[in-house]
Amino acid sequence: MIDRYLLRYFLAVIDQGNFSRAAAACNVSQPTLSAGIAKLEASLGRQLFSRTNRRVELTEAGARLVARARRIEAEFALAEREAGAARVAGRLRIGVLASAPTRWIAAFVASLPRDGDEVELVEGRERELVDRLTRGRIDVALGILRGNPRFAGVSILREPYLMALSAAHPLSGRDEIAAEELVDEPMIVRRHCELLGETSRHFTARGVRPFFPARTTSDDRAHALVAAGLGVTVAPASFGGEGVTMRPLTEFDHVRELGLLAADAALLAHPLARRLAAAVESGR
């Protein structure tokens, strides 16, 4: 039996033109996508792509598979839409990005009618949410939109990544802060941050190798530690709040787009999904 995700990898390579763009579109690493294509080829006993240094071309066997793969994917999508329509008035399993502010989720929960549809909240990192959506373990996710062809998405907001400092920090009044100015500053590590690697490279390239007094997977704890003056950290703009000032970091222009994702587009219209989007929008 051929797993659906393998056909999606195959179609992504065709639609994106190469393995690296296909991997990005599928929100997986290139080695993972390449391994998936190799697995598909092994299960079919045929080579599907001719690979060169410059481009990827379909083999004769690959060309024969395209139409069938698209029909199979279309049937999967139709089945998901039908199943989604059948459960519109029932429990909705919602994945929540670990770096989404707690106040958004609390506002969403507070808005729920006590005699309405049931909701199940599942927290996870970006890749964990993508995996759960793919496997059907959650219905909708509040996550980062990256144009993944496997999912329907609706944008809610875009926000930059900024430097988070205690409101009492000497640099908190600055319009912008350069990495070099933080050479002696301890930094809080947000382990679940989607830009952890980029942040590390940004500071290392500028000769800044800080002391890390705390590492945490909880943004609430990271926020409390920054507010208390233990250290600074890089975080999305929504990380700010009482006791924490957010300031732009020079030459660090990363932005994330948050929204709702679902394998079945019909679920994005679920009353609970719309209520969650409204809670995020009002709390931005």
Side-chain angles (χ1 to χ4, degrees), residues 206-254:
R206 290 158 179 78
V208 179
R209 294 175 173 80
F211 167 63
F212 302 116
R215 295 172 171 82
T216 179
T217 58
S218 166
D219 260 4
D220 289 339
R221 182 164 299 171
H223 186 281
L225 294 176
V226 171
L230 183 63
V232 301
T233 194
V234 172
S238 57
F239 181 87
E242 185 177 356
V244 173
T245 299
M246 307 298 292
R247 291 290 180 263
L249 183 61
T250 303
E251 298 180 335
F252 196 80
D253 301 320
H254 297 279

Side-chain angles (χ1 to χ4, degrees), residues 38-56:
K39 181 178 179 181
L40 179 60
E41 290 177 327
S43 66
L44 296 173
R46 297 286 188 275
Q47 184 176 345
L48 301 175
F49 295 104
S50 296
R51 304 163 176 83
T52 68
N53 290 334
R54 293 187 176 181
R55 57 185 173 179
V56 175

Side-chain angles (χ1 to χ4, degrees), residues 134-205:
T134 301
R135 296 175 182 273
R137 293 178 179 174
I138 56 176
D139 303 309
V140 175
L142 172 61
I144 299 177
L145 301 185
R146 298 192 188 275
N148 191 322
R150 290 182 290 178
F151 308 123
V154 56
S155 179
I156 301 176
L157 65 86
R158 288 172 57 85
E159 60 177 348
Y161 288 83
L162 306 172
M163 203 72 225
L165 314 92
S166 164
H169 194 285
L171 295 176
S172 65
R174 296 283 297 279
D175 291 334
E176 187 172 275
I177 300 171
E180 293 82 356
E181 297 179 271
L182 301 169
V183 66
D184 296 321
E185 293 287 337
M187 292 194 185
I188 310 299
V189 178
R190 300 171 54 250
R191 286 193 177 278
H192 57 282
C193 180
E194 305 87 17
L195 284 187
L196 197 56
E198 289 87 343
T199 300
S200 177
R201 287 189 288 273
H202 180 84
F203 283 100
T204 299

Side-chain angles (χ1 to χ4, degrees), residues 8 68 97 107 114 126 175 179 196 214 221 228 245 267 274:
R8 283 182 161 178
R68 291 181 181 177
L97 189 66
R114 293 298 173 255
E126 181 182 6
D175 291 334
L196 197 56
R221 182 164 299 171
T245 299
L267 288 174
R274 294 200 302 268

Side-chain angles (χ1 to χ4, degrees), residues 23 52 70-71 82 91 130 153 164 177 184 214 218 224 227 236 248 250 270:
T52 68
R70 293 202 187 279
R71 283 198 298 271
E82 291 175 346
R91 176 181 299 174
V130 167
I177 300 171
D184 296 321
S218 166
T250 303
H270 191 290

